[in-house]
Amino acid sequence: MNERQRARRPGGRSARVGEQVHQAVTNLISERGYGNFTVGEVAARAGVADSSIYRRWGSLETLLTDVALTRLNAQSPMPDTGSLAGDLRTYAAQVAREITGPDGPAVLHLAVALSSSGQQGLQAGADLRAERTRQLQSMLDRARDRGEHAPDAFEVLDHILAPMYIRVLFGMELTPDYVDGLVDRML
C-alpha cells in the first residue's frame, strides 16, 4: 500500500489522534477540573503537537465542546424491546452506565462548565439537548406507532435523564432500582 492510499483510509491515524486527544482531555478534567490545563498539556498527554490540536479544533474551548458532545452523545442503538416501558428502562440503564463509567462524571462536569462559559458553551448545551431529543423522539414515535401513549421527549429529559445527571454530578449513587423508579414514576 502506498502512502497516498494509507492517507485515505477511514479510521486511520486521524481517528486515533482524535481519540488520544479526547482521552487526554477527559483525563485532565478528571484530575484538575475545567479551566486548569492548556492546549500544550493536552498535546503532551496525547502525544501530538500543539499545532495538530489548533489545526483540527482551533481553540481549547472548541476542543472541550467537541469532547463533551462526542462523549455524551456516544450511545448504544436506541432500544426496541417491543414496549415503551421496556425501551425506557433499557435506555435509562444505558445512560446510567455511560455517566457512571470511568469518564462519565468528568464529561458531565465538563458539559456543565461549558454551558456557563459564554455563547459557545450555550450552543454546546443546545446541541447536546437537540441530539438527546432526536434520539428519544425516535423511540417515542415508535411507541406511538404501536398504539402506546408516549410522553413528550422533554418529559423524558426532565423526569429520567436530569435526575440521573444531577445524582452523578453530586457524587450520589445511581442504582438500578433508582433508575427503574424514575421510569415507573414517569409512566
Side-chain angles (χ1 to χ4, degrees), residues 90-109:
T90 303
Y91 178 73
Q94 288 172 345
V95 171
R97 278 191 302 277
E98 291 169 11
I99 64 175
T100 59
D103 297 335
V107 174
L108 281 179
H109 282 281

Side-chain angles (χ1 to χ4, degrees), residues 65-157:
T65 300
D66 184 50
V67 169
L69 290 174
T70 300
R71 294 287 175 110
L72 289 174
N73 283 330
Q75 289 279 340
S76 304
M78 290 305 285
D80 188 0
T81 66
S83 73
L84 179 59
D87 290 351
L88 285 172
R89 282 187 207 299
T90 303
Y91 178 73
Q94 288 172 345
V95 171
R97 278 191 302 277
E98 291 169 11
I99 64 175
T100 59
D103 297 335
V107 174
L108 281 179
H109 282 281
L110 174 59
V112 169
L114 285 170
S115 70
S116 63
S117 67
Q119 190 58 38
Q120 188 173 5
L122 290 174
Q123 185 58 52
D127 291 347
L128 175 60
R129 186 181 63 250
E131 180 59 22
R132 286 287 193 198
T133 302
R134 184 195 63 72
Q135 292 167 348
L136 288 169
Q137 197 60 55
S138 68
M139 179 194 328
L140 299 172
D141 289 345
R142 200 172 48 240
R144 284 187 192 98
D145 290 345
R146 289 189 302 255
E148 294 180 85
H149 172 74
D152 178 88
F154 287 109
E155 289 179 87
V156 177
L157 289 170

